[in-house]
């Protein structure tokens, strides 16, 4: 078997730096996607037809086209349209954040609808306004129920983040490819990158479990 | 205190309430009884605008509330207790009771918790302040729900079959709390199947059937000499 890890040793710091790069834009994307997802979910359950329509169309577009295409459009088409030379980091956060929001909004909408209608009525009967009712009563219960589905979405996002390598962003994946090209050996750097992705996802899974346990305090 | 004038409620083509008119006076305890599906709960839910009447009007303290856009003001004054409690499962007993006063009346946390603690003591659950609803029995949950509604210092309390979801041995503890409340002069409208409670505690009984107010009067008159055939038939079946 033709395996030789000694050759990538000098490149290890370069690859490891990719962890930070990946984590940086993935965590930003998760935050953007989560907040936007909540807002979209709220639009979907309102009685205001315009907002509902907007959220539905949004979801349809971002779920109905390939993520890599969205990434390319933001990276290549935005400069053509506006003249603004959009940086890779911003491109990645926008593409992944906007895309993830579409999926998260569906998860959260399902979670909100699964909360007993009596909870809304109880809050309304006490005179609690919409915003605190959502923030303090409905969403905490919804999020507890949908945590596994949300975690799944975040894990998918973390792994799919590798496609930013296509716009030349120096993330973990791109770095592995560069090292492969440099030493004419692809298997070792790709294997290392794969291992690192797996560790990241494993850690996320563990964090998810801890959070899930914490949220079950009231059971 | 509450005046109901010709209230009708329809869901699509289904008429649930038909031309209901009555007045609930300050300090009065009114029991609403009738067979299932007679519109009792819908009537009650109209009083705090959880349901909007299709026609007719509802007046609270001489101002019409039927078409208010800000329903929250009404609900601040009208407490409600549900058949299935609807406690907030992710909040402790203390937080359940002190939450709304903080968010709606803008009380400071310690003030709200002080009042809440007093109320929880009053319903006999002083040792459960930090427990979560899942740890409580049905009767205990309903007593917390009563304390939660009282924490908003409402002018009227609505009870929607408060004991119907309880095991028989827990009914009494909830009814006792309600009796105490009636003795403090609280205005109460109670949808109930507990005829003894209606007989002992209510000042007046409303009998609803098929969405119509068939009969109303003091419990002694209603239970001993009902005038309509519907009421007679109903009482024959359950007593």
């Amino acid at each position: 078997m033709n395996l030789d890890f000694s050759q990538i040793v000098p490149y290890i710091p370069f690859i490891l730096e990719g962890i930070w790069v990946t984590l940086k834009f993935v965590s930003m994307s998760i935050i953007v996607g989560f907040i936007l997802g909540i807002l979209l979910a709220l639009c979907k359950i309102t009685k205001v037809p315009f907002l509902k329509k907007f959220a539905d169309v949004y979801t349809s577009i971002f779920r109905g086209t390939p993520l890599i295409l969205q990434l390319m459009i933001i990276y290549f088409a935005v400069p053509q349209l506006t003249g603004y030379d959009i940086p890779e980091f911003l491109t990645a956060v926008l593409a992944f954040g906007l895309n993830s929001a579409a999926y998260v909004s569906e998860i959260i909408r399902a979670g909100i609808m699964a909360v007993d209608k009596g909870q809304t009525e109880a809050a309304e009967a006490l005179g609690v306004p919409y915003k605190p009712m959502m923030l303090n009563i409905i969403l905490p219960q919804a999020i507890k129920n949908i945590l596994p589905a949300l975690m799944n979405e975040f894990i998918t996002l973390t792994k799919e983040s590798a496609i930013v390598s296509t716009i030349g962003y120096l993330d973990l994946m791109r770095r592995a490819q560069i090292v492969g090209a440099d030493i004419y050996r692809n298997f070792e750097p790709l294997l290392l990158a794969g291992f690192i992705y797996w560790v990241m996802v494993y850690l996320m899974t563990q964090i998810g479990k801890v959070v899930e346990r914490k949220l079950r305090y009231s059971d | 205190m509450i005046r109901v004038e010709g209230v009708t409620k329809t869901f699509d083509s289904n008429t649930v309430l038909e031309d209901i008119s009555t007045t609930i006076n300050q300090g009065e305890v009114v029991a609403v009884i009738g067979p299932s599906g007679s519109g009792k709960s819908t009537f009650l839910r109209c009083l705090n605008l959880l349901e909007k009447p299709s026609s007719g009007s509802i007046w609270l303290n001489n101002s019409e509330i039927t078409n208010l856009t800000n329903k929250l003001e009404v609900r601040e004054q009208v407490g409600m207790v549900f058949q299935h409690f609807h406690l907030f499962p992710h909040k402790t007993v203390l937080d359940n009771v002190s939450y709304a006063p903080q968010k709606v009346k803008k009380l400071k946390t310690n003030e709200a918790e002080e009042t809440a603690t007093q109320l929880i003591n009053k319903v006999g659950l002083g040792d459960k302040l930090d427990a979560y609803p899942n740890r409580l029995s049905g009767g205990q949950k309903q007593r917390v729900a009563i304390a939660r509604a009282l924490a908003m210092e409402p002018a009227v309390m609505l009870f929607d079959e408060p004991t119907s979801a309880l095991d028989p041995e827990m009914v009494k503890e909830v009814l006792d709390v309600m009796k105490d409340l009636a003795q403090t002069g609280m205005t109460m409208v109670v949808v109930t199947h507990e005829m003894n409670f209606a007989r002992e505690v209510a000042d007046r009984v409303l009998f609803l059937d098929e969405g119509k107010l068939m009969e109303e009067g003091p419990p002694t008159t209603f239970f001993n000499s009902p005038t309509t055939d519907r009421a007679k038939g109903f009482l024959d079946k359950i007593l």
Side-chain angles (χ1 to χ4, degrees), chain B residues 6-220:
Chain B
V7 162
T8 296
K9 175 74 185 175
T10 53
F11 292 105
D12 298 325
S13 59
N14 194 5
T15 304
V16 185
L17 290 179
E18 207 178 319
D19 197 23
I20 306 259
S21 298
T22 189
T23 304
I24 291 147
N25 298 312
Q26 175 86 43
E28 200 179 19
V29 177
V30 176
V32 184
I33 62 178
S36 311
S38 57
K40 307 184 295 289
S41 289
T42 309
F43 169 70
L44 199 69
R45 291 161 61 87
C46 282
L47 299 183
N48 72 346
L49 302 182
L50 277 181
E51 304 287 356
K52 191 177 182 298
S54 309
S55 63
S57 58
I58 296 172
W59 301 67
L60 178 65
N61 293 327
N62 294 320
S63 56
E64 187 175 353
I65 59 169
T66 333
N67 293 310
L68 275 185
T69 37
N70 188 4
K71 297 172 182 164
L72 298 178
E73 273 174 39
V74 174
R75 290 170 181 159
E76 261 182 71
Q77 300 174 57
V78 184
M80 182 150 189
V81 174
F82 299 87
Q83 180 179 2
H84 295 286
F85 334 124
H86 299 324
L87 292 180
F88 306 132
H90 60 303
K91 290 184 179 293
T92 61
V93 166
L94 182 60
D95 289 343
N96 260 284
V97 180
S98 64
Y99 172 74
Q102 288 175 64
K103 288 292 165 188
V104 183
K105 290 189 180 261
K106 309 286 177 206
L107 288 190
K108 291 203 181 69
T109 309
N110 56 351
E111 290 175 71
E113 290 190 343
E114 204 174 303
T115 326
T117 310
Q118 283 172 10
L119 283 167
I120 296 165
N121 280 325
K122 215 186 255 175
V123 298
L125 291 168
D127 56 335
K128 300 282 187 197
L129 285 177
D130 296 321
Y132 285 95
N134 280 352
R135 296 255 176 259
L136 304 180
S137 71
Q140 291 171 329
K141 281 183 198 169
Q142 195 59 297
R143 285 187 277 155
V144 174
I146 293 173
R148 179 175 71 173
L150 288 175
M152 289 299 292
E153 298 174 326
V156 192
M157 284 282 281
L158 310 177
F159 294 83
D160 189 4
E161 303 196 21
T163 56
S164 297
L166 299 178
D167 290 340
E169 73 265 33
M170 289 165 186
V171 170
K172 187 173 177 294
E173 63 188 56
V174 172
L175 291 182
D176 285 345
V177 168
M178 289 168 64
K179 276 181 204 164
D180 289 346
L181 192 58
Q183 270 155 20
T184 64
M186 174 64 80
T187 312
M188 292 162 67
V189 184
V190 188
V191 171
T192 187
H193 292 297
E194 296 292 329
M195 294 306 142
N196 288 329
F197 177 81
R199 205 195 305 253
E200 286 169 34
V201 185
D203 300 308
R204 190 151 52 97
V205 173
L206 306 186
F207 176 71
L208 264 66
D209 191 32
E210 291 178 350
K212 295 190 199 73
L213 180 54
M214 302 295 287
E215 201 165 330
E216 70 177 307
T220 40

Side-chain angles (χ1 to χ4, degrees), chain A residues 15-187:
Chain A
I15 292 181
L16 290 183
E17 226 176 290
I19 298 177
W20 168 237
V21 176
T22 291
L23 280 181
K24 202 166 64 177
F25 85 84
V26 165
S27 53
M28 280 300 288
S29 307
I30 286 177
I31 293 168
V32 170
F34 185 59
I35 293 173
L36 216 55
I38 291 182
L39 294 177
L40 281 171
L42 293 178
C43 289
K44 284 175 185 177
I45 58 166
T46 62
K47 294 192 181 87
V48 188
F50 166 72
L51 290 176
K52 209 180 232 167
K53 194 79 205 152
F54 167 77
D56 283 345
V57 169
Y58 179 98
T59 307
S60 172
I61 291 173
F62 278 89
R63 238 176 16 173
T65 55
L67 176 54
I68 191 166
L69 178 115
Q70 294 162 17
L71 188 74
M72 298 272 168
I73 285 183
I74 293 173
Y75 191 61
F76 296 118
V78 166
Q80 179 194 330
L81 215 61
T82 63
Y84 172 61
D85 195 8
I86 192 166
E88 287 90 355
F89 175 76
L90 189 58
T91 307
V93 170
L94 273 179
F96 285 94
L98 296 178
N99 182 274
S100 178
Y103 289 91
V104 169
S105 73
E106 276 301 290
I107 298 173
I108 291 180
R109 184 180 67 92
I112 290 175
M113 289 184 21
V115 174
D116 182 5
K117 204 168 157 277
Q119 293 291 308
T120 314
E121 286 190 349
E124 281 178 351
L126 286 164
V128 179
Y130 182 79
K131 205 172 139 193
M133 173 180 84
M134 271 297 159
L135 279 177
N136 307 135
I137 306 295
I138 306 299
L139 281 175
Q141 295 182 57
I143 291 194
K144 181 180 152 192
N145 292 336
I146 59 176
L147 200 70
L150 269 183
M151 213 53 213
N152 214 4
E153 166 60 21
F154 297 156
I155 286 171
T156 307
L157 197 152
T158 307
K159 288 184 304 174
E160 295 298 305
S161 76
I163 66 167
V164 287
S165 57
T166 58
I167 59 167
Y169 190 44
L170 275 179
D171 75 322
L172 189 53
M173 182 68 194
R174 180 80 190 131
R175 282 165 196 256
Q177 288 174 326
I178 288 174
V179 173
D182 227 27
I183 60 175
Y184 301 108
R185 303 181 71 88
N186 278 300
F187 193 81

